Amino acid sequence: MISVTGQPTTVVVRVADSGGKVLTNGQLNTGDSLKYDQAPLSVVAANGGSLKVVIYGELQPQKPAGRRGEWLVKAKG
């Protein structure tokens, strides 16, 4: 799950395979949340510090404010 807890930021979520289908590409506002049931996924935020990212129930370490943040959600198994 991706939640915007800080300033609005641009987020790109794509399937991390050879096709690279884009699932989300745009600005998310404070309070917005997204959830995906597929993997692998690549998540990139212009301001990584604005996001709270939970992968398979585990809160991911906070990224520095004002800097690009990247997360990879690996396929289970």
Side-chain angles (χ1 to χ4, degrees), residues 22-50:
V22 175
L23 303 176
T24 298
N25 184 3
Q27 181 165 303
L28 299 181
N29 294 310
T30 306
D32 286 350
S33 292
L34 298 174
K35 185 175 181 178
Y36 300 93
D37 293 324
Q38 62 194 101
L41 293 176
S42 168
V43 178
V44 178
N47 181 357
S50 286

Side-chain angles (χ1 to χ4, degrees):
M1 181 173 73
I2 302 164
S3 300
V4 181
T5 57
Q7 296 295 317
T9 187
T10 300
V11 176
V12 178
V13 179
R14 69 177 65 226
V15 178
D17 64 11
S18 60
K21 179 181 176 186
V22 175
L23 303 176
T24 298
N25 184 3
Q27 181 165 303
L28 299 181
N29 294 310
T30 306
D32 286 350
S33 292
L34 298 174
K35 185 175 181 178
Y36 300 93
D37 293 324
Q38 62 194 101
L41 293 176
S42 168
V43 178
V44 178
N47 181 357
S50 286
L51 297 187
K52 178 175 100 173
V53 177
V54 177
I55 300 174
Y56 298 127
E58 291 187 28
L59 179 62
Q60 302 302 296
Q62 184 76 33
K63 302 290 185 181
R67 300 175 96 184
R68 178 182 164 111
E70 297 183 41
W71 298 263
L72 178 63
V73 181
K74 296 180 181 178
K76 280 188 171 182

